Amino acid sequence: MAAYNCCFSHDSHQEDDGEESADVEYTTVQLRLWKLEEQEDAGEAAPACSRQCRIRPAEVLRRLEAPALELASGLTELQVLEWCQPRMIELATDYIREIHPPPETVLMDIMEAPEDVEEGVRRSTEVMTPASEEAIGGVERVIGGEGECPICLEKDEEEEKGFACMPCSHSFHVKCIQVWLRISRFCPLCRFPMPC
């Protein structure tokens, strides 16, 4: 079960004359975290905090890394548990991809599910420990790797990017897994622990 539930909405992107306006260069994603405060009778939703992220819809459409990193930064500032962030980022970018033309503003309401918070805090503390530089440098590079990187969701079209294979046999772009392991020592797919 996830520790959070997400809901999305966006502004209607039309000019006064009813025609659609030109594509926007940036979309502002307003992240709003809501916490369920337990009371004697029933839980009541209350907004806890919010952050804004500016991302380029063109980069979202091309599945570049920058929008995901910007959203991850905003979610981290909201103290959203790290192990929940990849799915939230995927949901947000999928939502933006489906809207034509891209909206100027997207609201992402995140509701904390209290029954999972203690487990999430424990897991988040584990996840926030980076792998050692020796372990990062020791990740095996794969020649001729193919397919989609699970971190950035891009196919390896440029030969110089290359893939790296973790000891658990999961493969990622070299650059992507190096950035990941400097934040968390766990494999993003199976949570295999790298030395820290």
Side-chain angles (χ1 to χ4, degrees):
M1 181 183 291
Y4 303 93
N5 294 316
C6 298
C7 180
F8 297 91
S9 60
H10 66 279
D11 61 348
S12 59
H13 187 66
Q14 293 192 340
E15 299 290 337
D16 292 336
D17 60 6
E19 290 186 25
E20 292 182 353
S21 62
D23 287 346
V24 295
E25 184 176 355
Y26 287 96
T27 293
T28 300
V29 180
Q30 179 73 36
L31 305 171
R32 299 189 301 189
L33 178 65
W34 298 74
K35 295 192 178 200
L36 194 63
E37 296 178 359
E38 295 189 27
Q39 297 184 354
E40 293 174 14
D41 297 331
E44 185 176 300
C49 49
S50 66
R51 293 290 182 274
Q52 288 187 348
C53 301
R54 288 186 68 211
I55 61 175
R56 293 178 187 260
E59 292 178 345
V60 172
L61 291 172
R62 293 192 327 244
R63 298 182 186 271
L64 297 180
E65 186 177 311
L69 293 175
E70 179 67 21
L71 290 169
S73 175
L75 292 169
T76 300
E77 287 179 29
L78 291 178
Q79 298 180 344
V80 169
L81 302 174
E82 185 179 345
W83 61 275
C84 297
Q85 292 181 17
R87 180 67 180 139
M88 290 181 178
I89 292 166
E90 179 183 5
L91 291 170
T93 54
D94 285 350
Y95 183 83
I96 293 167
R97 258 186 229 106
E98 293 174 6
I99 303 168
H100 300 286
E104 290 181 5
T105 305
V106 169
L107 295 176
M108 180 176 177
D109 288 307
I110 305 161
M111 176 64 81
E112 189 175 83
E115 64 273 5
D116 293 327
V117 170
E118 281 185 37
E119 171 66 9
V121 168
R122 183 191 64 73
R123 289 180 68 183
S124 180
T125 304
E126 290 176 0
V127 171
M128 294 304 289
T129 306
S132 69
E133 285 299 319
E134 185 178 333
I136 294 169
V139 173
E140 180 184 343
R141 293 176 192 258
V142 179
I143 297 173
E146 293 182 18
E148 187 175 85
C149 172
I151 296 174
C152 70
L153 303 176
E154 288 184 15
K155 293 190 184 233
D156 188 25
E157 296 172 359
E158 303 169 18
E159 196 167 308
E160 66 270 4
K161 261 190 179 177
F163 275 84
C165 186
M166 298 268 291
C168 58
S169 299
H170 289 118
S171 295
F172 309 91
H173 286 139
V174 172
K175 180 181 174 187
C176 295
I177 196 62
Q178 287 175 344
V179 169
W180 180 275
L181 291 174
R182 285 188 175 92
I183 297 168
S184 170
R185 71 188 190 106
F186 292 96
C187 170
L189 295 179
C190 71
R191 297 187 41 77
F192 176 85
M194 293 290 282
C196 54

